[in-house]
Amino acid sequence: MIAGQRDPHIRGVPRSKVRYDNLKAAVARVLGLSRARVEADRWIAFKSHYGTERFYCRPGIEGAHEKGGVEGQIGYFRRNHFVPVPEVSSLAELNEMVEQWDRQDDARRIGSRSRTIAEDFALERPLLMPLPEKPFLTGRLFTPRVDRYGQIPVRTNRYSVPIRLIGKRVRVILHASHLVVYDQNVEVARHERLIAKGAVRLELDHYLEVLVRKHDAFPGSTALEQARSAGKFQPRSTTPGGPRP
């Protein structure tokens, strides 16, 4: 991510060229051994939004020396924080751990440099251009129709929305770790993104209206089971001092 609109450390955009490897999200096709590229449409919009210039490394061994320092630091970070692979319950938890490790790295010196990483960046930060007023919308857009079960298909998985939207087409922005559902311009649902194929994520609140009318469906509903598994719902206890919903 460039110039972190959400990154508390960077808060700016590089003024000069940004050097990239030939990442698939940006490069649709490498043209021979030159630095010319056929770029993806979303990548072109991203660059235009932040006003950056790009510089692509040469493919293969010829371009290895152009990013050796970066590759070395990535290897350092991986060996010190991802070996063994950390065990987490969600992508959000992993991101928090990475941010903590990143903050700890501020006090580290690279090689024989006299200044720490934080001290070096303190000198560079004033040279950055200011961020645009609005962040770039990096998520992918989908416009699925809500089925009769109050669910929408997004790629290989399904997510619930309020049942009042059954039959309507909604707008979905899919991000790396979550997705947001809009009816017109109003947010109506937000889910953690499912990773496994063919999975379903249901929010109990989306079904309360129908469950109130159909009492028999409530005890065995999938939405209720997911809510219980997530610790969002507990049955009312009949004994004093017992658990409450």
Side-chain angles (χ1 to χ4, degrees):
M1 180 179 181
I2 188 173
Q5 187 79 23
R6 299 170 60 186
D7 190 326
H9 290 81
I10 301 178
R11 299 195 298 272
V13 181
R15 291 182 181 274
S16 186
K17 294 179 180 178
V18 179
R19 182 170 298 182
Y20 295 102
D21 204 346
N22 297 285
L23 63 166
K24 292 182 179 179
V27 177
R29 184 156 53 95
V30 176
L31 301 177
L33 296 178
S34 70
R35 299 190 190 277
R37 303 291 185 268
V38 176
E39 298 177 316
D41 291 342
R42 289 287 290 165
W43 182 251
I44 294 173
F46 179 82
K47 292 189 309 173
S48 299
H49 182 84
Y50 286 103
T52 61
E53 294 184 58
R54 85 288 183 272
F55 178 91
Y56 291 109
C57 297
R58 294 185 184 276
I61 297 177
E62 292 81 0
H65 70 281
E66 297 180 339
K67 54 184 184 300
V70 173
E71 297 281 7
Q73 290 306 307
I74 291 173
Y76 174 91
F77 198 90
R78 179 182 59 79
R79 292 190 299 273
N80 284 270
H81 301 300
F82 285 90
V83 178
V85 177
E87 295 184 5
V88 296
S89 58
S90 67
L91 182 59
E93 181 182 351
L94 179 61
N95 284 335
E96 289 178 3
M97 294 171 65
V98 171
E99 288 182 8
Q100 180 180 354
W101 296 330
D102 191 36
R103 288 192 294 270
Q104 293 172 357
D105 251 12
D106 280 346
R108 183 169 65 88
R109 287 180 171 82
I110 298 176
S112 60
R113 296 183 184 182
S114 60
R115 290 187 292 265
T116 64
I117 291 175
E119 290 169 342
D120 271 338
F121 185 63
L123 298 175
E124 295 182 13
R125 177 175 283 165
L127 305 178
L128 298 174
M129 297 186 296
L131 289 169
E133 293 184 4
K134 294 183 179 180
F136 181 78
L137 187 61
T138 56
R140 296 194 62 178
L141 174 64
F142 298 87
T143 55
R145 189 178 299 277
V146 183
D147 67 15
R148 62 194 181 101
Y149 301 106
Q151 300 171 22
I152 54 173
V154 180
R155 287 196 163 179
T156 61
N157 299 312
R158 306 186 72 81
Y159 301 85
S160 68
V161 298
I163 59 169
R164 59 181 171 79
L165 299 173
I166 289 176
K168 293 189 65 175
R169 194 171 291 278
V170 294
R171 183 165 55 94
V172 179
I173 306 296
L174 179 66
H175 300 277
S177 59
H178 69 285
L179 62 86
V180 186
V181 185
Y182 297 90
D183 177 26
Q184 302 296 329
N185 292 320
V186 178
E187 180 180 325
V188 294
R190 180 180 290 260
H191 292 280
E192 184 177 347
R193 180 174 177 175
L194 291 164
I195 303 301
K197 293 182 178 180
V200 179
R201 174 150 285 154
L202 307 178
E203 181 65 42
L204 182 60
D205 288 352
H206 296 159
Y207 294 96
L208 290 181
E209 181 180 336
V210 68
L211 292 174
V212 167
R213 296 199 310 267
K214 298 180 179 180
H215 303 286
D216 293 342
F218 189 78
S221 70
T222 304
L224 177 58
E225 290 304 315
Q226 289 194 7
R228 283 174 172 165
S229 298
K232 297 179 180 179
F233 180 89
Q234 292 181 337
R236 184 183 297 274
S237 173
T238 57
T239 59
R244 308 288 289 180

